Amino acid sequence: MKALNLQKLLHALVVTEECSLVAASKRLHITQSALTRSVKSLEDDLGIAIFRRKSTGVELTNEGERLMKRARTLLEQAGEFRSEARSLSSGSRSVVSFGLDPILSHNLLSTQLKTLISESRLMQIQVKVDSRSTLLAMLLDKSIDFFIADISDFKPSDTSNINIENLQHLRGSFFVRRRHPLSQQQHVSRADIYSYPILTPANVHESIWEELRWHGVDADKTERRQQLICPDMTILKDVTINSDAVLASSDLSVAEECRKGKLVRIDHRITDRSDFRSIGLVTLKDGKLGIHAKEIMSSLAATLRDISAQ
């Protein structure tokens, strides 16, 4: 069999859509005789009759119907291939935009941005660091190509238009400064923790927080709890180290400060494993990522797995 000619395949697909050689030739801006020769040549190359002629036009044979279903996908892939090749050769027109959960941004970007700068030919890379709900809105609006975030509390209604790939499980805990009143206390209760201002990089553990914020730890005690949300982990850690605030974050985000003794994990016993959060990669179901976005996405996912395993 001869090598497949994509132009002939395109001609056959247009004839399929128009059900007429006359209409297809006008759409393709070629003569009807040239189109007839192209289709006949494709049939000869494949050794299969794709069309049968009728008085009102043409129709697909059984074999042709099967082949044309594959033809559309093949031509779309060929178009993506050409687009990615042009992107790789020029680089200057390429833009990749992605999002990260604040609890991940420092660890991932500190290693990945240096690699992207040295290896990528992209003119522009946009990084959005924000809460999961904001990143999801950006993704659905197609403002970003993908994001990596805590996916633990996704509702079924959130996932109808997206794909989620589970990447890693991270432990989330409460941390305080060295010599904080809670740092030496064993079996710290939720009431003890929420008696101090809570700092978070995003509205983590939303269901628990909503309960505590308005109703207090005890069901019959109405009391608004104090929470500060800021996506900048550097600022949050600095405030925690220099105040009595309690930081709710992943172990990964404060590993260095804990090693240096600046922050201490509170001995807070959780038996339902709700302190373990699932981190996932989120993309649109109908989204088509370019080669640069796919490479960056794959590299970020691999880096997350590596640093989480350390």
Side-chain angles (χ1 to χ4, degrees), residues 70-84:
R70 298 286 302 275
R72 186 181 303 279
T73 300
L74 185 58
L75 288 168
E76 288 178 352
Q77 291 174 343
E80 292 173 1
F81 180 85
R82 293 191 189 96
S83 177
E84 291 179 357

Side-chain angles (χ1 to χ4, degrees), residues 118-133:
S118 62
E119 296 182 1
S120 176
R121 298 183 64 188
L122 288 170
M123 180 62 71
Q124 190 176 108
I125 299 173
Q126 300 174 353
V127 186
K128 311 290 185 181
V129 179
D130 218 313
S131 66
R132 187 197 64 198
S133 57

Side-chain angles (χ1 to χ4, degrees), residues 228-244:
L228 186 150
I229 304 171
C230 174
D232 192 320
M233 279 300 300
T234 301
I235 292 176
L236 292 183
K237 289 188 284 189
D238 183 65
V239 172
T240 306
I241 291 170
N242 293 284
S243 73
D244 281 344

Side-chain angles (χ1 to χ4, degrees), residues 23 32 34 71-72 109 112 124 139 143 150-151 166 179 199 203 218 247 270 288 293:
Q32 184 179 341
R72 186 181 303 279
L109 295 179
Q112 280 296 300
Q124 190 176 108
L139 182 69
S143 300
D150 182 349
I151 59 172
N166 202 321
R179 298 191 181 91
L199 309 182
N203 201 5
D218 300 318
L247 175 62
I270 300 178
K288 295 182 179 179

Side-chain angles (χ1 to χ4, degrees), residues 198-245:
I198 305 298
L199 309 182
T200 64
N203 201 5
V204 294
H205 301 279
E206 294 178 7
S207 58
I208 296 175
W209 177 250
E210 288 301 315
E211 173 191 345
L212 292 172
R213 180 166 59 168
W214 296 110
H215 302 294
V217 177
D218 300 318
D220 59 347
K221 183 180 179 182
T222 301
E223 181 180 354
R224 185 171 183 176
R225 298 290 164 172
Q226 202 173 357
Q227 182 188 32
L228 186 150
I229 304 171
C230 174
D232 192 320
M233 279 300 300
T234 301
I235 292 176
L236 292 183
K237 289 188 284 189
D238 183 65
V239 172
T240 306
I241 291 170
N242 293 284
S243 73
D244 281 344

Side-chain angles (χ1 to χ4, degrees), residues 23-183:
S25 63
K26 290 180 180 179
R27 178 174 157 187
L28 291 166
H29 303 290
I30 60 176
T31 65
Q32 184 179 341
S33 58
L35 178 57
T36 300
R37 287 194 299 271
S38 176
V39 171
K40 181 63 169 62
S41 177
L42 177 63
E43 290 178 324
D44 291 342
D45 291 344
L46 298 175
I48 292 174
I50 300 174
F51 300 101
R52 66 171 63 93
R53 278 65 177 174
K54 303 190 306 180
S55 59
T56 56
V58 295
E59 66 179 5
L60 289 169
T61 62
N62 291 336
E63 295 83 1
E65 187 173 356
R66 292 183 61 181
L67 289 176
M68 288 303 101
K69 286 181 179 179
R70 298 286 302 275
R72 186 181 303 279
T73 300
L74 185 58
L75 288 168
E76 288 178 352
Q77 291 174 343
E80 292 173 1
F81 180 85
R82 293 191 189 96
S83 177
E84 291 179 357
R86 286 194 296 270
S87 178
L88 285 171
S89 64
S90 64
S92 60
R93 295 182 180 179
S94 298
V95 177
V96 173
S97 181
F98 64 90
L100 292 175
D101 191 309
I103 65 173
L104 306 169
S105 59
H106 174 75
N107 300 81
L108 287 179
L109 295 179
S110 61
T111 57
Q112 280 296 300
L113 286 187
K114 291 182 287 186
T115 301
L116 293 176
I117 290 171
S118 62
E119 296 182 1
S120 176
R121 298 183 64 188
L122 288 170
M123 180 62 71
Q124 190 176 108
I125 299 173
Q126 300 174 353
V127 186
K128 311 290 185 181
V129 179
D130 218 313
S131 66
R132 187 197 64 198
S133 57
T134 300
L135 294 178
L136 179 59
M138 289 181 181
L139 182 69
L140 295 175
D141 191 44
K142 299 185 178 179
S143 300
I144 56 177
D145 298 304
F146 65 89
F147 69 87
I148 298 176
D150 182 349
I151 59 172
S152 306
D153 298 321
F154 265 130
K155 302 173 184 176
S157 59
D158 296 328
T159 61
S160 58
N161 298 316
I162 59 176
N163 293 313
I164 301 176
E165 179 187 349
N166 202 321
L167 299 177
Q168 190 60 265
H169 293 287
L170 297 181
R171 184 179 181 184
S173 305
F174 294 99
F175 299 90
V176 295
R177 64 172 173 82
R178 202 170 142 199
R179 298 191 181 91
H180 186 283
L182 297 179
S183 63

